[in-house]
CSV table of all heavy atoms in Angstrom, one decimal:
chain,number,residue,atom,x,y,z
A,1,ASN,N,124.9,123.5,110.5
A,1,ASN,CA,124.9,123.3,109.1
A,1,ASN,C,126.1,124.0,108.4
A,1,ASN,O,126.4,125.2,108.8
A,1,ASN,CB,123.6,123.9,108.4
A,1,ASN,CG,122.3,123.3,108.8
A,1,ASN,OD1,122.1,122.1,108.6
A,1,ASN,ND2,121.5,124.1,109.6
A,2,ILE,N,126.7,123.4,107.5
A,2,ILE,CA,127.7,124.0,106.7
A,2,ILE,C,127.3,124.0,105.3
A,2,ILE,O,126.8,122.9,104.8
A,2,ILE,CB,129.1,123.2,106.8
A,2,ILE,CG1,129.6,123.2,108.3
A,2,ILE,CG2,130.1,123.9,105.9
A,2,ILE,CD1,129.9,124.6,108.9
A,3,ARG,N,127.4,125.1,104.6
A,3,ARG,CA,126.9,125.2,103.2
A,3,ARG,C,127.6,124.1,102.4
A,3,ARG,O,128.8,123.9,102.6
A,3,ARG,CB,126.9,126.6,102.7
A,3,ARG,CG,128.3,127.1,102.4
A,3,ARG,CD,128.3,128.5,102.0
A,3,ARG,NE,127.7,128.8,100.7
A,3,ARG,CZ,127.5,130.0,100.2
A,3,ARG,NH1,127.8,131.1,100.9
A,3,ARG,NH2,127.0,130.2,99.0
A,4,PRO,N,126.9,123.5,101.4
A,4,PRO,CA,127.6,122.4,100.7
A,4,PRO,C,128.9,122.7,100.0
A,4,PRO,O,129.8,121.9,100.1
A,4,PRO,CB,126.5,122.1,99.6
A,4,PRO,CG,125.2,122.4,100.3
A,4,PRO,CD,125.5,123.6,101.1
A,5,SER,N,129.1,123.9,99.5
A,5,SER,CA,130.3,124.3,98.8
A,5,SER,C,131.5,124.5,99.8
A,5,SER,O,132.6,124.6,99.4
A,5,SER,CB,130.2,125.5,98.0
A,5,SER,OG,129.8,126.6,98.8
A,6,GLU,N,131.2,124.5,101.1
A,6,GLU,CA,132.3,124.7,102.1
A,6,GLU,C,132.5,123.5,103.0
A,6,GLU,O,133.3,123.6,104.0
A,6,GLU,CB,131.9,126.0,103.0
A,6,GLU,CG,131.8,127.3,102.2
A,6,GLU,CD,133.1,127.7,101.6
A,6,GLU,OE1,134.2,127.2,102.0
A,6,GLU,OE2,133.1,128.5,100.6
A,7,ARG,N,132.0,122.4,102.6
A,7,ARG,CA,132.2,121.2,103.5
A,7,ARG,C,133.5,120.6,103.2
A,7,ARG,O,134.2,120.8,102.2
A,7,ARG,CB,131.0,120.2,103.2
A,7,ARG,CG,129.7,120.7,103.7
A,7,ARG,CD,128.6,119.7,103.4
A,7,ARG,NE,127.3,120.3,103.8
A,7,ARG,CZ,126.2,120.0,103.2
A,7,ARG,NH1,126.1,119.1,102.2
A,7,ARG,NH2,125.1,120.5,103.6
A,8,ARG,N,134.0,119.8,104.2
A,8,ARG,CA,135.2,119.1,104.1
A,8,ARG,C,136.4,120.0,104.2
A,8,ARG,O,137.5,119.7,103.6
A,8,ARG,CB,135.3,118.1,102.9
A,8,ARG,CG,134.3,117.0,103.0
A,8,ARG,CD,134.3,116.1,101.8
A,8,ARG,NE,133.3,115.2,101.9
A,8,ARG,CZ,133.4,113.9,102.1
A,8,ARG,NH1,134.6,113.4,102.2
A,8,ARG,NH2,132.4,113.1,102.2
A,9,LYS,N,136.2,121.1,104.8
A,9,LYS,CA,137.3,122.1,105.0
A,9,LYS,C,137.6,122.4,106.5
A,9,LYS,O,138.3,123.3,106.8
A,9,LYS,CB,136.9,123.4,104.3
A,9,LYS,CG,136.8,123.3,102.8
A,9,LYS,CD,136.4,124.6,102.2
A,9,LYS,CE,136.2,124.4,100.7
A,9,LYS,NZ,135.7,125.7,100.0
A,10,GLY,N,137.0,121.6,107.4
A,10,GLY,CA,137.2,121.8,108.8
A,10,GLY,C,136.2,122.7,109.5
A,10,GLY,O,136.2,122.9,110.7
A,11,TYR,N,135.2,123.3,108.7
A,11,TYR,CA,134.3,124.2,109.3
A,11,TYR,C,133.3,123.5,110.2
A,11,TYR,O,132.8,124.1,111.2
A,11,TYR,CB,133.5,125.0,108.2
A,11,TYR,CG,134.5,125.9,107.5
A,11,TYR,CD1,134.6,125.8,106.1
A,11,TYR,CD2,135.2,126.9,108.1
A,11,TYR,CE1,135.4,126.7,105.4
A,11,TYR,CE2,136.0,127.8,107.4
A,11,TYR,CZ,136.1,127.7,106.1
A,11,TYR,OH,137.0,128.5,105.4
A,12,GLY,N,132.9,122.3,109.9
A,12,GLY,CA,132.0,121.6,110.8
A,12,GLY,C,132.5,121.4,112.2
A,12,GLY,O,131.9,121.7,113.2
A,13,LYS,N,133.8,121.0,112.3
A,13,LYS,CA,134.4,120.8,113.6
A,13,LYS,C,134.5,122.2,114.3
A,13,LYS,O,134.2,122.3,115.5
A,13,LYS,CB,135.8,120.2,113.4
A,13,LYS,CG,136.5,120.0,114.7
A,13,LYS,CD,137.9,119.3,114.4
A,13,LYS,CE,138.7,119.1,115.7
A,13,LYS,NZ,140.0,118.5,115.4
A,14,LEU,N,134.8,123.2,113.6
A,14,LEU,CA,134.9,124.6,114.2
A,14,LEU,C,133.6,125.1,114.6
A,14,LEU,O,133.5,125.5,115.8
A,14,LEU,CB,135.5,125.5,113.1
A,14,LEU,CG,135.6,127.0,113.6
A,14,LEU,CD1,136.5,127.2,114.8
A,14,LEU,CD2,136.0,127.9,112.4
A,15,ILE,N,132.5,125.0,113.8
A,15,ILE,CA,131.2,125.5,114.2
A,15,ILE,C,130.7,124.7,115.4
A,15,ILE,O,130.0,125.3,116.3
A,15,ILE,CB,130.3,125.6,113.0
A,15,ILE,CG1,129.2,126.6,113.3
A,15,ILE,CG2,129.7,124.2,112.7
A,15,ILE,CD1,128.3,127.0,112.1
A,16,CYS,N,130.9,123.5,115.5
A,16,CYS,CA,130.4,122.7,116.6
A,16,CYS,C,131.2,123.1,117.9
A,16,CYS,O,130.5,123.4,118.9
A,16,CYS,CB,130.7,121.2,116.4
A,16,CYS,SG,130.0,120.1,117.6
A,17,ARG,N,132.5,123.3,117.8
A,17,ARG,CA,133.2,123.8,119.0
A,17,ARG,C,132.7,125.1,119.4
A,17,ARG,O,132.5,125.4,120.6
A,17,ARG,CB,134.7,123.8,118.6
A,17,ARG,CG,135.6,124.3,119.8
A,17,ARG,CD,137.1,124.2,119.6
A,17,ARG,NE,137.5,124.8,118.4
A,17,ARG,CZ,137.8,126.2,118.3
A,17,ARG,NH1,137.6,126.9,119.3
A,17,ARG,NH2,138.2,126.7,117.1
A,18,LEU,N,132.5,126.0,118.5
A,18,LEU,CA,132.1,127.4,118.8
A,18,LEU,C,130.6,127.3,119.4
A,18,LEU,O,130.3,128.1,120.3
A,18,LEU,CB,132.1,128.3,117.6
A,18,LEU,CG,133.6,128.6,117.1
A,18,LEU,CD1,133.5,129.4,115.8
A,18,LEU,CD2,134.4,129.3,118.2
A,19,GLY,N,129.8,126.5,118.9
A,19,GLY,CA,128.5,126.3,119.4
A,19,GLY,C,128.5,125.8,120.9
A,19,GLY,O,127.7,126.2,121.7
A,20,ILE,N,129.4,124.9,121.2
A,20,ILE,CA,129.6,124.4,122.5
A,20,ILE,C,130.0,125.5,123.5
A,20,ILE,O,129.5,125.7,124.6
A,20,ILE,CB,130.6,123.2,122.6
A,20,ILE,CG1,130.1,122.0,121.8
A,20,ILE,CG2,131.1,122.9,124.0
A,20,ILE,CD1,131.1,121.0,121.5
A,21,LEU,N,130.9,126.4,123.0
A,21,LEU,CA,131.3,127.5,123.8
A,21,LEU,C,130.1,128.5,124.1
A,21,LEU,O,130.0,129.0,125.2
A,21,LEU,CB,132.4,128.3,123.1
A,21,LEU,CG,133.8,127.6,123.0
A,21,LEU,CD1,134.8,128.4,122.2
A,21,LEU,CD2,134.4,127.3,124.4
A,22,GLU,N,129.3,128.7,123.1
A,22,GLU,CA,128.1,129.5,123.3
A,22,GLU,C,127.1,128.9,124.3
A,22,GLU,O,126.5,129.5,125.1
A,22,GLU,CB,127.4,129.8,122.0
A,22,GLU,CG,128.2,130.7,121.0
A,22,GLU,CD,128.5,132.1,121.6
A,22,GLU,OE1,127.7,132.6,122.4
A,22,GLU,OE2,129.5,132.7,121.2
A,23,ALA,N,127.0,127.5,124.2
A,23,ALA,CA,126.1,126.8,125.1
A,23,ALA,C,126.7,127.0,126.6
A,23,ALA,O,125.9,127.2,127.5
A,23,ALA,CB,126.0,125.4,124.8
A,24,ARG,N,128.0,126.9,126.7
A,24,ARG,CA,128.6,127.1,128.0
A,24,ARG,C,128.3,128.5,128.6
A,24,ARG,O,128.0,128.7,129.8
A,24,ARG,CB,130.1,126.8,128.0
A,24,ARG,CG,130.4,125.4,127.6
A,24,ARG,CD,130.1,124.4,128.7
A,24,ARG,NE,130.6,123.1,128.4
A,24,ARG,CZ,129.9,122.0,128.5
A,24,ARG,NH1,128.6,122.0,128.9
A,24,ARG,NH2,130.4,120.8,128.2
A,25,LYS,N,128.4,129.5,127.7
A,25,LYS,CA,128.1,130.9,128.1
A,25,LYS,C,126.6,131.0,128.7
A,25,LYS,O,126.4,131.8,129.5
A,25,LYS,CB,128.3,131.9,127.0
A,25,LYS,CG,129.7,132.1,126.6
A,25,LYS,CD,129.8,133.0,125.4
A,25,LYS,CE,131.1,133.1,124.8
A,25,LYS,NZ,131.1,134.0,123.6
A,26,LEU,N,125.7,130.2,128.1
A,26,LEU,CA,124.4,130.2,128.6
A,26,LEU,C,124.2,129.4,129.9
A,26,LEU,O,123.1,129.3,130.4
A,26,LEU,CB,123.4,129.6,127.5
A,26,LEU,CG,123.3,130.5,126.3
A,26,LEU,CD1,122.6,129.7,125.1
A,26,LEU,CD2,122.4,131.8,126.6
A,27,GLY,N,125.2,128.7,130.3
A,27,GLY,CA,125.1,128.0,131.6
A,27,GLY,C,124.7,126.5,131.3
A,27,GLY,O,124.3,125.9,132.3
A,28,ILE,N,124.7,126.1,130.1
A,28,ILE,CA,124.3,124.7,129.8
A,28,ILE,C,125.4,123.8,130.3
A,28,ILE,O,126.5,123.9,129.8
A,28,ILE,CB,123.9,124.5,128.4
A,28,ILE,CG1,122.7,125.4,128.0
A,28,ILE,CG2,123.6,123.0,128.1
A,28,ILE,CD1,122.4,125.5,126.5
A,29,GLY,N,125.1,122.8,131.1
A,29,GLY,CA,126.1,121.9,131.7
A,29,GLY,C,126.4,120.8,130.7
A,29,GLY,O,127.2,120.9,129.8
A,30,ASP,N,125.6,119.7,130.8
A,30,ASP,CA,125.8,118.6,129.8
A,30,ASP,C,125.0,118.9,128.6
A,30,ASP,O,123.9,119.4,128.6
A,30,ASP,CB,125.2,117.3,130.4
A,30,ASP,CG,126.0,116.8,131.7
A,30,ASP,OD1,127.1,117.2,131.8
A,30,ASP,OD2,125.4,116.0,132.4
A,31,ILE,N,125.7,118.8,127.4
A,31,ILE,CA,125.2,119.2,126.1
A,31,ILE,C,124.9,117.9,125.3
A,31,ILE,O,125.8,117.1,125.1
A,31,ILE,CB,126.2,120.1,125.4
A,31,ILE,CG1,126.5,121.3,126.2
A,31,ILE,CG2,125.7,120.4,124.0
A,31,ILE,CD1,127.6,122.2,125.7
A,32,LEU,N,123.7,117.9,124.8
A,32,LEU,CA,123.3,116.8,123.9
A,32,LEU,C,123.4,117.2,122.5
A,32,LEU,O,122.9,118.3,122.1
A,32,LEU,CB,121.8,116.4,124.2
A,32,LEU,CG,121.2,115.3,123.3
A,32,LEU,CD1,121.9,114.0,123.4
A,32,LEU,CD2,119.7,115.2,123.5
A,33,ILE,N,124.0,116.4,121.6
A,33,ILE,CA,124.1,116.7,120.2
A,33,ILE,C,123.7,115.4,119.5
A,33,ILE,O,124.2,114.3,119.9
A,33,ILE,CB,125.5,117.1,119.7
A,33,ILE,CG1,126.0,118.3,120.5
A,33,ILE,CG2,125.5,117.4,118.3
A,33,ILE,CD1,127.4,118.8,120.2
A,34,THR,N,122.9,115.4,118.5
A,34,THR,CA,122.5,114.2,117.8
A,34,THR,C,122.8,114.4,116.3
A,34,THR,O,123.1,115.5,115.8
A,34,THR,CB,121.0,114.0,117.9
A,34,THR,OG1,120.3,115.0,117.1
A,34,THR,CG2,120.5,114.1,119.3
A,35,CYS,N,122.8,113.2,115.6
A,35,CYS,CA,123.0,113.2,114.2
A,35,CYS,C,122.4,111.9,113.6
A,35,CYS,O,122.1,111.0,114.4
A,35,CYS,CB,124.5,113.3,113.8
A,35,CYS,SG,125.5,111.9,114.2
């Protein structure tokens, strides 16, 4: 989630990428993301 006042500034792409990195640290191979 990105707070409404901070959307459309590139934070969504960044937080998703950082979340993927954290999932990799946990040893998660294939990662499912839905919307």
Side-chain angles (χ1 to χ4, degrees):
N1 296 293
I2 299 296
R3 72 187 290 173
S5 62
E6 297 295 341
R7 291 181 186 150
R8 297 179 184 249
K9 297 179 182 179
Y11 293 121
K13 184 177 175 183
L14 175 63
I15 201 167
C16 185
R17 180 173 53 81
L18 295 173
I20 292 165
L21 293 174
E22 292 299 330
R24 296 290 187 227
K25 289 178 189 175
L26 289 168
I28 300 171
D30 294 343
I31 299 170
L32 176 65
I33 305 178
T34 72
C35 68

